[in-house]
Amino acid sequence: MNWQEIQKRAEKKRKALERKRKDPRFRAVIGRLVHEGFLKARDTAPTRARPTVEDALFAGEVEPRVLELLPAILARRPKLFLQTRPLPPDLELVVRELKRGKAERDFRGIPAIKYTAWETLVRHHGPEQMAIAKTFRLKKADLTLLAALKEKWGLNETEVVRKALALATE
Amino acid sequence: MLKKVFQKLDKWMGEENWERRELGTLGLAPVKIQLLGQMALVEAQVDLHLFATVDVDAYMEVGSVRLKLAELLKEVGLILDPDSDKIWMPEETEYQNYFHGKFVEVVLAEPEYVLISKALKAPQKNGALISEYLAQGASKRFQALAEKYKLDLEQFL
């Protein structure tokens, strides 16, 4: 097969994909995932629409990254997609395994290691809400103060810093 | 968007080195970051429909600069993939300049090398992307890579 023929056949495939990308179900799913901060898409505006799980599976046929996110969303934030009928058996199985922390099987071509990786992100409602590790160099006097506040407030060091920051900005 | 993150990283390294000098400790050595994967395509502004999960793939040394980069990326809703080092790229991969700071240099893998890596290692996940690229007419460089690495193009047609 020469490259001209490859281009011709790929063009047919591209047109079919383009039709699916224009489908309102696809746009609603991608828009919602962009809104949640789970996906970056140059050409899709974020939306608060609540698509169905079937819509997500449809969108996943075009963009498999949706399938990568779907098990974690259904396991940790099931209300994000509307469930109008029982989940397909393969999806129900991986969601159940994911909830038990025992996901091992592929889901529609997505390896378990890939879709389980999103669980933490989804649980924390997107990267902005996840805790960030920060390092500081503190002097002995600061450490004494930190220890005293730990004792006084009955909190751990991170909680002390959070509380002190909240008090300072009140 | 990523350029601003690297500017912040460069600034942080400058401040950190100043502080370390004051304390008489060893400064941070300049770093080179090689951006790979979907983010490399996004930042190279290739004319394809690009959807990306929030992970950023990059080859870079492990250490405090990497930790700081992960922290800065999180602030803009992105995650530095801890398994980036496992990503396969063709040995002949060429990179284009992206950001050159005082301490931080960032380069992007050229699109054809990213696409061939995706087509070979995750064809199902990247099927739509590769089909779209082939429909535009693959470059001579991509054609040579596809032949060298015996890429099965039929799966994208």
Side-chain angles (χ1 to χ4, degrees), chain A residues 1 3 5-14 17-18 21 26 30 37-44 62-65 68-69 108-110 113-114 118 121 127-128 130-135 137, chain B residues 16 19-20 23 38-39 42 45-55 68 71 74-79 118 124-126 128 131-132 134-138 142-143 146-147 153-157:
Chain A
M1 190 165 36
W3 284 95
E5 196 185 329
I6 288 167
Q7 185 176 4
K8 218 163 133 186
R9 286 181 59 196
E11 178 58 21
K12 273 188 193 165
K13 183 93 185 266
R14 189 197 65 78
L17 286 166
E18 193 55 38
R21 280 197 201 104
F26 180 81
I30 300 293
F38 299 152
L39 209 60
K40 306 275 175 197
R42 219 165 29 192
D43 320 311
T44 313
V62 188
E63 180 44 64
R65 284 165 185 83
E68 202 174 297
L69 288 159
R108 303 193 184 187
I110 311 287
I113 193 167
K114 278 284 174 193
W118 297 113
L121 173 87
E128 287 90 347
M130 286 172 73
I132 295 168
K134 286 188 98 69
T135 44
R137 265 192 214 88
Chain B
E16 184 71 12
E19 203 176 322
R20 285 178 181 219
L23 292 165
Q38 203 82 344
M39 282 297 168
V42 171
Q45 299 183 337
V46 295
D47 188 19
L48 294 168
H49 283 92
L50 292 170
F51 299 96
T53 37
V54 293
D55 51 340
K68 184 66 189 179
E71 182 189 316
K74 262 189 194 171
E75 286 174 12
V76 293
L78 296 169
I79 296 169
K118 285 175 173 293
Q124 201 167 357
K125 186 175 168 182
N126 298 292
S131 299
E132 194 182 349
L134 292 173
Q136 287 181 356
F142 184 89
Q143 291 177 17
E147 275 155 31
L153 291 161
E154 200 60 42
Q155 59 191 320
F156 306 112
L157 305 176

Side-chain angles (χ1 to χ4, degrees), chain A residues 49-158:
Chain A
R50 194 173 170 215
T52 64
V53 174
E54 289 76 37
D55 293 346
L57 290 169
F58 167 80
E61 286 173 20
V62 188
E63 180 44 64
R65 284 165 185 83
V66 175
L67 297 182
E68 202 174 297
L69 288 159
L70 193 58
I73 289 172
L74 293 175
R76 298 298 165 203
R77 291 187 61 197
K79 287 182 181 169
L80 210 134
F81 290 125
L82 203 60
Q83 283 188 45
T84 53
R85 59 183 80 164
L87 295 179
D90 60 338
L91 181 56
E92 194 189 349
L93 194 62
V94 295
V95 171
R96 205 184 314 139
E97 287 178 346
L98 198 56
K99 281 182 181 172
R100 290 182 190 152
K102 288 181 181 171
E104 280 169 3
R105 69 188 72 225
D106 287 8
F107 169 61
R108 303 193 184 187
I110 311 287
I113 193 167
K114 278 284 174 193
Y115 65 76
T116 50
W118 297 113
E119 209 193 348
T120 316
L121 173 87
V122 171
R123 200 172 50 226
H124 288 86
H125 295 231
E128 287 90 347
Q129 298 301 317
M130 286 172 73
I132 295 168
K134 286 188 98 69
T135 44
F136 298 103
R137 265 192 214 88
L138 299 177
K139 291 183 178 161
K140 204 173 172 186
D142 304 322
L143 291 172
T144 310
L145 209 54
L146 192 60
L149 287 174
K150 239 176 95 174
E151 185 72 24
K152 186 178 172 187
W153 290 340
L155 300 172
N156 66 33
E157 287 182 356
T158 307

